[in-house]
Amino acid sequence: MKIGIVCYPGYGGSGVVAAELGKALGQKGIEVHFICLERPFRLEGILPGIYYHEVEPVDYPLFKFPLYYLPLAGKIIEVVRTYHIDLIHTHYAIPHTVAALMAKEILSSEGKELKVITTLHGTDVTLVGQRRELFDVTRWSILKSDGVTAVSEYLKNVTCEIFAISPRTIEVIYNFVDLDEYRPKTDESLKEKLGVPEKQKVIIHISNFRPVKRALDVLEIFSKVQTEVDSVLVYVGEGPDTGKVLNEVQKKNLTNKVKFLGKMPKVSDVLSISDVLLITSETESFGLVALEAMAMEVPVVAYRVGGLPEVVVDGQTGYLVDYLDLEKAAEAVVKLLKEPWLKRDFGRWGRIRAKERFSKEKQVINYLNYYEKILKGL
Ligand code: GMT
């Protein structure tokens, strides 16, 4: 089997899932061709079975913005023709699936049958796809794909509801974590490197700081927590709301208790010294970072939204509180920080759950089976 993967290469869950899936398929002897704007940040070095093809946006004085979607379709055609690819797997519907479907149509006129599978990741349905100008295009791309997967039951249901796409079936294939890479480890020097005293507890938030992540809520919750427990807040990632958070940290006089580490390609080191992961998203189709934390035995405190209840078990691997209930979220964090046995217990259950339901091995096999089904036209 030869496949093409189209994804956003930057800091985001969909790119991480696409890159990790591609690497795992390559290790199984499948030829995988990534077709992206840049090399995905998780695809470092020489990897078995992995090829990378760069899409060059086309600029011309007449255009207001460089074109991406059409050169992407052109690149897909070129790669499919050259390497005899059977299937394109797009991550994030817009505009990737639309470009792949255009390539499929063009190639069919020369007798080449190309299958297109779309994996919906979340905001392509819940935010971007709902914009009036993109709604019909997103719906069409879902209906015309040969196969569609969603990363949670929540996302499958919300997609069917929003786009009224029955009888189109959507397969749920959960996101996954590499349990060898994300495993608990003790390296005391990491805390020291961050300038955090050994006895101080660490609360961590990892995101792209888009408005949907509500990164300011994290600070509100932390400002309550730190009055009760000696702790620091570590922010990992960067994005549109970083400036707002920086300002608010200064206003609250918390500069010596809040650290900004910026973007990091791998978060396992920083998770290994964390006591609680805090997620305050308005919606989250899955919450890959919650799974990564659980795999590392770090309990999660989050709002009960989207697909998070499918990942985090309330009262067992973390606490889920009502949306915007900052008070309850702070109480939950304090409880976990004050009772080390509880944190340990939740952590262990988190890793067990990650292993049982969201292991890389299991989900990669699910993708492979789905590819075979679609290639056979079933
Ligand atoms: O908003 C993000 O965090 C980025 C976005 C993406 O497409 O990269 O994340 C979505 O896909 C991830 C991987 O499947 C999921 O774990 C995230 O929950 C989802 N984000 C949202 O639904 C907000």
Side-chain angles (χ1 to χ4, degrees):
M1 193 191 294
K2 292 184 179 186
I3 70 156
I5 290 185
V6 180
C7 67
Y8 284 111
Y11 203 67
S14 59
V16 170
V17 172
E20 295 298 337
L21 173 62
K23 285 196 279 190
L25 294 171
Q27 277 165 358
K28 286 188 181 295
I30 292 167
E31 199 175 298
V32 182
H33 293 259
F34 279 86
I35 306 165
C36 309
L37 258 180
E38 280 168 15
R39 197 176 177 90
F41 72 100
R42 287 270 180 108
L43 281 191
E44 346 51 23
I46 300 172
L47 297 159
I50 301 296
Y51 300 82
Y52 166 64
H53 311 273
E54 194 152 299
V55 180
E56 296 244 5
V58 174
D59 206 358
Y60 183 71
L62 188 66
F63 306 154
K64 200 164 173 193
F65 304 104
L67 299 178
Y68 165 55
Y69 143 70
L70 293 174
L72 170 61
K75 197 65 169 184
I76 294 173
I77 294 168
E78 179 190 292
V79 173
V80 168
R81 273 194 197 131
T82 313
Y83 298 94
H84 311 288
I85 283 167
D86 314 300
L87 187 156
I88 293 286
H89 184 177
T90 61
H91 292 259
Y92 215 88
I94 296 289
H96 298 155
T97 303
V98 185
L101 290 170
M102 180 186 265
K104 177 184 166 89
E105 184 67 25
I106 292 169
L107 287 162
S108 79
S109 65
E110 51 195 67
K112 166 78 190 168
E113 198 197 346
L114 178 69
K115 300 282 188 189
V116 174
I117 291 180
T118 301
T119 289
L120 301 169
H121 279 274
T123 47
D124 43 356
V125 168
T126 56
L127 293 176
V128 182
Q130 284 193 61
R131 291 179 66 125
R132 197 172 51 82
E133 61 275 49
L134 293 177
F135 181 89
D136 290 297
V137 181
T138 308
R139 183 171 187 272
W140 178 84
S141 71
I142 294 170
L143 285 170
K144 288 288 177 189
S145 296
D146 296 288
V148 179
T149 78
V151 298
S152 63
E153 286 290 339
Y154 158 80
L155 186 59
K156 171 185 163 172
N157 294 337
V158 96
T159 305
C160 292
E161 207 176 287
I162 292 173
F163 294 111
I165 49 163
S166 163
R168 152 101 271 168
T169 52
I170 297 181
E171 182 98 353
V172 174
I173 302 183
Y174 282 122
N175 285 335
F176 54 85
V177 65
D178 183 335
L179 288 145
D180 290 327
E181 190 188 329
Y182 286 84
R183 57 166 58 246
K185 49 186 169 195
T186 32
D187 180 352
E188 305 302 340
S189 71
L190 288 174
K191 239 175 154 172
E192 204 181 308
K193 275 187 205 157
L194 269 187
V196 178
E198 189 40 45
K199 63 174 183 21
Q200 215 165 36
K201 302 288 183 188
V202 177
I203 296 154
I204 187 167
H205 172 78
I206 306 172
S207 81
N208 49 27
F209 284 68
R210 299 215 181 104
V212 69
K213 306 290 175 183
R214 300 189 63 88
L216 274 175
D217 286 14
V218 171
L219 187 63
E220 286 301 323
I221 295 165
F222 174 69
S223 63
K224 294 176 201 291
V225 170
Q226 56 90 35
T227 60
E228 293 199 44
V229 183
D230 182 17
S231 50
V232 284
L233 171 62
V234 175
Y235 275 111
V236 177
E238 218 172 294
D241 282 350
T242 307
K244 279 191 209 158
V245 180
L246 279 166
N247 288 344
E248 204 53 33
V249 168
Q250 280 182 352
K251 268 201 222 151
K252 287 186 183 301
N253 269 325
L254 285 172
T255 35
N256 57 345
K257 288 200 156 190
V258 182
K259 293 183 184 294
F260 290 87
L261 303 189
K263 292 184 186 176
M264 291 181 141
K266 280 189 181 159
V267 290
S268 51
D269 275 354
V270 72
L271 275 171
S272 74
I273 52 155
S274 302
D275 296 284
V276 174
L277 171 80
L278 199 42
I279 301 179
T280 48
S281 306
E282 180 184 334
T283 181
E284 203 64 65
S285 67
F286 183 90
L288 187 59
V289 74
L291 175 60
E292 290 172 340
M294 279 161 49
M296 300 207 55
E297 300 193 355
V298 177
V300 180
V301 173
Y303 292 144
R304 193 180 296 102
V305 295
L308 278 168
E310 292 171 62
V311 183
V312 180
V313 183
D314 185 26
Q316 191 188 54
T317 71
Y319 287 114
L320 297 175
V321 304
D322 287 345
Y323 179 52
L324 301 184
D325 196 339
L326 304 178
E327 207 60 56
K328 276 269 155 44
E331 271 171 33
V333 175
V334 167
K335 190 166 178 184
L336 285 162
L337 296 184
K338 278 193 172 165
E339 296 177 32
W341 66 268
L342 191 64
K343 190 230 145 189
R344 262 198 312 275
D345 206 34
F346 275 37
R348 286 198 189 120
W349 279 112
R351 183 152 174 96
I352 290 171
R353 184 165 172 79
K355 212 175 199 163
E356 281 177 354
R357 306 229 15 202
F358 307 110
S359 74
K360 182 167 92 172
E361 291 70 23
K362 197 174 267 178
Q363 304 309 336
V364 169
I365 293 288
N366 285 341
Y367 273 115
L368 263 178
N369 290 341
Y370 191 65
Y371 290 170
E372 271 162 19
K373 186 171 139 184
I374 296 302
L375 283 170
K376 284 184 190 148
L378 298 173

